[in-house]
Amino acid sequence: MLIRELAARLGLDVNAQSFAKGQIAVDLVKASLKKLVDTASEMVRKFAENIQSTAEYAEELEGLAQSTGIGADSLQRLGKAAATEGIGIEALSFSMRNFSRTMVAAKKGSGEASAAFKKAGVSYKDGAGKLRPTEDIFLDLADGFSKMNDGADKTALAMQLFGRGGAQMIQVLNNGRPEL
C-alpha cells in the first residue's frame, strides 16, 4: 500500500492490476517466511527438549551405575534389552538395586541370598572370596535363567534375587546373556 501512495504523490501512473499482483506476491512471501520461522522455532524447541531429556537420562544412568556397580555403558545396553521387553529404566533400576543388595547379603553370609545364587548355579564370589562384578554375575545369571523351565520356582528365584521386580526381570533373563 505504501508504494501505491508514493506513486500517487509523485504523480506516476498507477496500474491497479499490477499492484494487486504485487501485493499477492508480497503476502505469499510474508506467509512463507512466517511458516519458515514457526517451523524453525519448533525444531529448536524440540532439539532443546531432546538435549534436556538426554542429559536427564545420562544423569539417571550414572546414578544407577553407582548404585549397582554396573558400568553406565553396560547399563545403557541392558536398559535397551529391558525396554524391548517392556521394562522401563525405573523398574530396571529398582530391580538392579535389589540385586546388588542380594549380592552383598550373600557375601555377608545370608543363607537365603547364598542359597538363591546356588540354586541359580551362579557364583557371586571370585576365587579369592571377594564379590564378583555385578555385571559378570548378572550375565551368568541370564545364561542360567534362559535354560530354566518357566514356572513358580523360576519366578520365586527371580524375586529372591531381584526383589518384587524379579518377575519382570525374567523377561530379560530368558533371552540369555545380553551383549553388554
Side-chain angles (χ1 to χ4, degrees), residues 44-60:
V44 167
R45 186 188 65 75
K46 286 185 178 183
F47 182 70
E49 283 177 2
N50 284 338
I51 288 173
Q52 179 67 31
S53 176
T54 300
E56 289 169 2
Y57 179 75
E59 188 176 306
E60 185 175 2

Side-chain angles (χ1 to χ4, degrees), residues 138-139 142-143 145-146 172-179:
F138 180 84
L139 294 173
D143 281 341
F145 263 75
S146 69
V172 175
L173 295 167
N174 277 344
N175 291 326
R177 181 181 289 262
E179 289 297 320

Side-chain angles (χ1 to χ4, degrees), residues 92-137:
L92 176 65
S93 172
F94 178 79
S95 294
M96 293 307 292
R97 283 186 184 107
N98 284 332
F99 183 59
S100 293
R101 284 187 206 115
T102 303
M103 290 170 45
V104 170
K107 184 179 184 282
K108 288 183 176 181
S110 166
E112 187 177 318
S114 298
F117 282 106
K118 185 174 183 179
K119 187 172 184 179
V122 175
S123 176
Y124 57 90
K125 293 190 281 187
D126 63 17
K130 294 182 179 181
L131 201 58
R132 293 176 56 215
T134 306
E135 183 177 330
D136 294 345
I137 298 170

Side-chain angles (χ1 to χ4, degrees), residues 8 11 14 19 21-22 31 40 50 56 59 70 88 90 101 104 117 127 149 160 163 169 176:
V14 177
F19 273 103
K21 285 181 182 178
N50 284 338
E56 289 169 2
E59 188 176 306
I70 298 176
E90 297 83 17
R101 284 187 206 115
V104 170
F117 282 106
N149 292 326
Q160 280 182 294
M169 289 300 292

Side-chain angles (χ1 to χ4, degrees), residues 22-51:
Q23 186 63 46
I24 290 171
V26 168
D27 290 345
L28 284 173
V29 168
K30 283 169 55 176
S32 296
L33 286 174
K34 183 183 179 332
K35 190 178 251 185
L36 180 65
V37 167
D38 290 347
T39 301
S41 295
E42 181 65 14
M43 289 174 64
V44 167
R45 186 188 65 75
K46 286 185 178 183
F47 182 70
E49 283 177 2
N50 284 338
I51 288 173

